[in-house]
Amino acid sequence: MDIFNLLNMIGGLSLFLYGMNIMGNGLSKMAGGKLENILEKLTTKRIFAVLLGAGVTAVIQSSSATTVMVVGFVNSGIMKLSQAVGIIMGANIGTTITSWMLSLTGIEGSTIWLKLLKPSSFSPILAAIGIVLVMVSKGESKKKDIGSILLGFAILMFGMETMSSAVSGLADNPSFTKMMTAFSNPILGMVVGAILTAIIQSSSASVGILQALCATGAVHYSVALPIIMGQNIGTCVTGIISSIGASKNARRAAMVHLYFNLIGTTLFMVFFYALNSFMDFAFLGESANAAGIAVIHSLFNIGATIVLFPFSNLLVRLAEITIPDGKNKEDVQAEIVSIDERFLGRPAFAMELCRGKVREMAELIRKSMGLALEVLLNYDEEKAQEVIKLESVADKYEDVLGSYLVKLSSKNISTTDSQSMSIILHSISDFERISDHARDIVKSAEEINTKGLSFTKNARREIATLCKAVNDICNLTVESFCNDDDISATHVEPLEEVIDTLSKKVKENHIKRLQKGKCTIEMGFILEDILTGLERVSDHCSNIAVEMITIYDNDYNTHEYFKNFSSEERASFNEEYEELLKRYPIGKHDGMVTE
């Protein structure tokens, strides 16, 4: 093998790995986060998890990527460790699809149909179609993703052909033949396969390289078999690296992957070579080919899954023993709020995770505000402490989501995801401020309780009416936000105007009571704080609603939105405002919309 053949082999390997990367990324973008959503939601039955793991891996062409996703799910608390086992097993089966695709390069025959099946015949056509789709597509689109998939496949196959051609001359090289013979030692072959796969972090790629080497004719099945076994162990390195710094359960998920392959490989090797000592399998001395490599790869992974599937719980237990619980329990709250950064490489799904988390935050705010209003009207120490705790969690949501979205903004995301990102970034601060006001309202209620103060009968009735309106606007805002319903969001602002009017009336009535000596100045200060907080809550609800309404027009400006009302919109707005005022009676009002 001269220097030029070596350069060709290196170039072929580079194209092979690059093509696999392009094709995998294109397939992931084409899926648009749907595959990850399926993995997240449909893993309650372990057999389904195995099938899903196999299917997803077959699509994205990487068991390592699937395992990293699983580690991320477990780390974020989205998936239980027991659910992850099935997906990991399925991923090992799904990754064998690549070896079958690559085995097409070994097709030989003179008939036109066999020639057409060879990648060298149809890859140029796929490449031509792919480059046209990529060049004519504007921005991020499905056509561009399809083009990337076709180009990636063509480059992958071209690299495979180049590697095979470059190493074909090694068939007559005594040194290469001697080296290959050494790898027939099961232990040495496994070590080589594991190291190679650990370096390139892809069992599919390392199996492809082995298939390319089969073109020399010097790779016998006695050499290929232990190397394939080692490749299954080496692919675990990616998941282990990914789990560094993650939660205990995430690290356990990576260990389940390692133990599954270690135990499966050990059982296979012991059984196979024990049987070989009695039966002396003749095929081990034959030259391996690409199709034979694919057969061995598939049989091992399917067989290991069948044998170890009934012992899934034991794999989980083994991982738990390896990584035991410490004396202190993990911070469950932080785990619930966190979003794993492993998903930043899959922007479509990362955005879906962010949407899910901000909906959780919105529901938490709804609960917090509801409890705060209950505490204000009927003081309860346990509920008061719950509001304070929820405010702390809301702060974490804002920090985590804000930081994560800033990182995600640098990725290639669709127009729809970009709009969602803008809504979330604007809204999380408003949601967090609502939780702050809920806490402040609770503190005012606590002060009233501690000092033995109380509202007059009329003041209490007025506050209860105002609280009902505030509770309603929070519910309406959260439901509109969580359902992405910008039509419902248009009903938030009329209610916000009603709340301002009600608050103004409560203040006026309080002054009258103060003048008549029915209320104290001290109580007036506390009431002023409460009313300010309730008004601010409705203002933040208005901000969220306006963001939802205007973002799709790329015209976010709360104040300008209302100033630009047409006469018809203004009339409709005033009509709804008047109807709402009747629903929350306190006293006389001027019936006008404030500017």
Side-chain angles (χ1 to χ4, degrees):
M1 185 179 188
D2 58 25
I3 185 65
F4 298 106
N5 284 333
L6 179 61
L7 290 174
N8 281 336
M9 187 183 73
I10 294 172
L13 176 60
S14 302
L15 289 172
F16 175 79
L17 296 174
Y18 180 61
M20 183 170 286
N21 183 59
I22 292 177
M23 186 171 67
N25 288 340
L27 287 164
S28 297
K29 285 185 179 180
M30 188 74 178
K34 294 183 180 67
L35 293 176
E36 293 89 340
N37 277 323
I38 292 171
L39 277 181
E40 176 192 350
K41 296 173 183 176
L42 301 179
T43 54
T44 50
K45 290 188 177 180
R46 199 163 286 167
I47 186 63
F48 288 161
V50 172
L51 296 174
L52 285 167
V56 170
T57 305
V59 171
I60 64 176
Q61 295 289 298
S62 175
S63 61
S64 298
T66 304
T67 304
V68 170
M69 276 196 286
V70 169
V71 170
F73 283 135
V74 175
N75 189 49
S76 298
I78 296 171
M79 183 183 290
K80 295 178 181 178
L81 184 60
S82 58
Q83 295 173 301
V85 179
I87 296 175
I88 290 170
M89 290 181 172
N92 276 37
I93 296 174
T95 195
T96 63
I97 296 297
T98 309
S99 61
W100 282 106
M101 288 168 50
L102 296 174
S103 68
L104 294 174
T105 58
I107 292 177
E108 295 180 358
S110 57
T111 65
I112 187 170
W113 298 112
L114 286 176
K115 287 183 177 180
L116 285 174
L117 285 175
K118 285 184 69 65
S120 58
S121 299
F122 64 79
S123 289
I125 299 172
L126 297 182
I129 297 171
I131 194 63
V132 169
L133 289 174
V134 170
M135 292 180 70
V136 301
S137 301
K138 295 181 179 179
E140 298 296 319
S141 66
K142 293 292 183 184
K143 286 183 179 179
K144 189 172 184 179
D145 293 337
I146 294 172
S148 296
I149 294 168
L150 296 178
L151 272 176
F153 180 81
I155 294 172
L156 168 75
M157 288 302 180
F158 183 75
M160 184 71 174
E161 293 278 357
T162 304
M163 276 196 297
S164 299
S165 299
V167 299
S168 60
L170 292 173
D172 301 321
N173 189 311
S175 299
F176 179 77
T177 305
K178 185 178 180 181
M179 181 181 68
M180 285 291 105
T181 304
F183 293 154
S184 61
N185 179 294
I187 302 299
L188 181 58
M190 286 176 60
V191 170
V192 169
I195 292 174
L196 174 64
T197 308
I199 291 172
I200 62 178
Q201 295 195 26
S202 172
S203 61
S204 297
S206 61
V207 169
I209 293 170
L210 181 61
Q211 287 175 305
L213 289 174
C214 289
T216 63
V219 180
H220 294 174
Y221 283 109
S222 61
V223 173
L225 193 144
I227 290 177
I228 293 171
M229 297 301 106
Q231 287 167 338
N232 283 280
I233 297 172
T235 194
C236 300
V237 169
T238 307
I240 293 172
I241 293 173
S242 175
S243 70
I244 294 173
S247 66
K248 283 187 175 67
N249 275 337
R251 298 199 299 275
R252 288 167 179 165
M255 292 307 297
V256 166
H257 189 211
L258 177 62
Y259 285 136
F260 171 74
N261 283 300
L262 272 177
I263 294 172
T265 300
T266 302
L267 290 175
F268 179 86
M269 294 293 278
V270 170
F271 177 78
F272 180 83
Y273 283 100
L275 203 59
N276 182 54
S277 64
F278 292 104
M279 301 181 67
D280 191 21
F281 295 125
F283 79 92
L284 289 176
E286 297 176 4
S287 295
N289 55 49
I293 298 294
V295 169
I296 294 173
H297 195 210
S298 296
L299 286 178
F300 166 74
N301 284 291
I302 294 171
T305 300
I306 292 172
V307 171
L308 295 178
F309 182 80
F311 304 100
S312 300
N313 291 331
L314 291 179
L315 289 174
V316 173
R317 183 60 188 147
L318 187 59
E320 290 173 342
I321 293 171
T322 307
I323 304 175
D325 288 319
K327 294 182 180 179
N328 298 318
K329 291 184 178 180
E330 293 180 346
D331 187 354
V332 177
Q333 186 184 89
E335 185 175 296
I336 292 173
V337 176
S338 68
I339 309 177
D340 203 292
E341 292 194 8
R342 291 166 184 79
F343 299 119
L344 286 172
R346 300 180 179 278
F349 181 64
M351 269 308 306
E352 191 59 38
L353 280 181
C354 289
R355 291 188 193 98
K357 288 297 178 182
V358 78
R359 290 186 189 110
E360 290 176 12
M361 182 184 187
E363 292 293 349
L364 178 144
I365 298 306
R366 190 212 300 249
K367 179 181 179 182
S368 176
M369 198 64 222
L371 287 172
L373 296 175
E374 289 178 24
V375 170
L376 178 61
L377 296 173
N378 295 288
Y379 188 78
D380 184 306
E381 180 62 28
E382 186 175 337
K383 290 180 180 178
Q385 291 303 314
E386 178 71 7
V387 171
I388 293 172
K389 184 174 75 173
L390 290 175
E391 190 276 332
S392 176
V393 179
D395 287 344
K396 286 188 173 67
Y397 269 109
E398 184 188 27
D399 290 342
V400 169
L401 280 165
S403 300
Y404 196 87
L405 287 169
V406 168
K407 295 175 183 176
L408 186 57
S409 64
S410 63
K411 308 295 181 182
N412 288 326
I413 58 176
S414 66
T415 302
T416 301
D417 285 341
S418 179
Q419 291 170 337
S420 292
M421 182 181 292
S422 180
I423 291 174
I424 294 172
L425 283 171
H426 279 101
S427 299
I428 55 176
S429 60
D430 284 301
F431 279 130
E432 193 277 330
R433 289 296 295 145
I434 291 173
S435 73
D436 288 343
H437 291 304
R439 177 202 58 198
D440 294 340
I441 289 169
V442 162
K443 288 184 177 179
S444 294
E446 185 178 20
E447 184 180 357
I448 292 171
N449 182 68
T450 303
K451 293 182 177 180
L453 303 174
S454 63
F455 293 113
T456 64
K457 184 178 180 180
N458 286 338
R460 181 178 177 80
R461 185 170 60 250
E462 292 168 2
I463 291 295
T465 301
L466 182 56
C467 285
K468 183 179 185 309
V470 171
N471 192 54
D472 287 347
I473 199 173
C474 281
N475 287 335
L476 178 59
T477 302
V478 170
E479 286 172 10
S480 299
F481 183 86
C482 291
N483 296 325
D484 198 21
D485 187 350
D486 57 333
I487 303 300
S488 295
T490 60
H491 300 295
V492 171
E493 181 59 21
L495 185 51
E496 191 275 333
E497 292 288 351
V498 168
I499 289 169
D500 285 348
T501 301
L502 296 179
S503 179
K504 182 179 178 182
K505 191 62 182 176
V506 171
K507 291 177 185 177
E508 291 173 353
N509 290 345
H510 169 71
I511 292 172
K512 292 177 182 177
R513 287 189 289 270
L514 189 63
Q515 291 171 341
K516 294 179 181 180
K518 295 181 179 180
C519 191
T520 65
I521 294 177
E522 184 178 20
M523 193 63 186
F525 287 135
I526 298 174
L527 180 61
E528 178 66 28
D529 290 340
I530 292 171
L531 294 178
T532 299
L534 294 175
E535 285 184 65
R536 294 290 181 270
V537 168
S538 68
D539 289 340
H540 290 299
C541 287
S542 174
N543 290 343
I544 294 167
V546 172
E547 166 67 12
M548 291 179 60
I549 297 166
T550 59
I551 188 62
Y552 297 105
D553 299 325
N554 296 316
D555 186 33
Y556 176 69
N557 188 313
T558 307
H559 303 293
E560 290 299 323
Y561 170 70
F562 299 111
K563 287 181 180 179
N564 293 332
F565 268 0
S566 66
S567 57
E568 290 183 3
E569 289 172 327
R570 178 68 60 179
S572 176
F573 187 98
N574 281 335
E575 183 180 349
E576 185 172 359
Y577 169 82
E578 292 290 346
E579 288 297 320
L580 287 169
L581 272 177
K582 295 175 184 177
R583 193 184 301 174
Y584 308 100
I586 281 184
K588 292 183 179 181
H589 54 84
D590 57 13
M592 297 300 292
V593 177
T594 56
E595 293 293 341

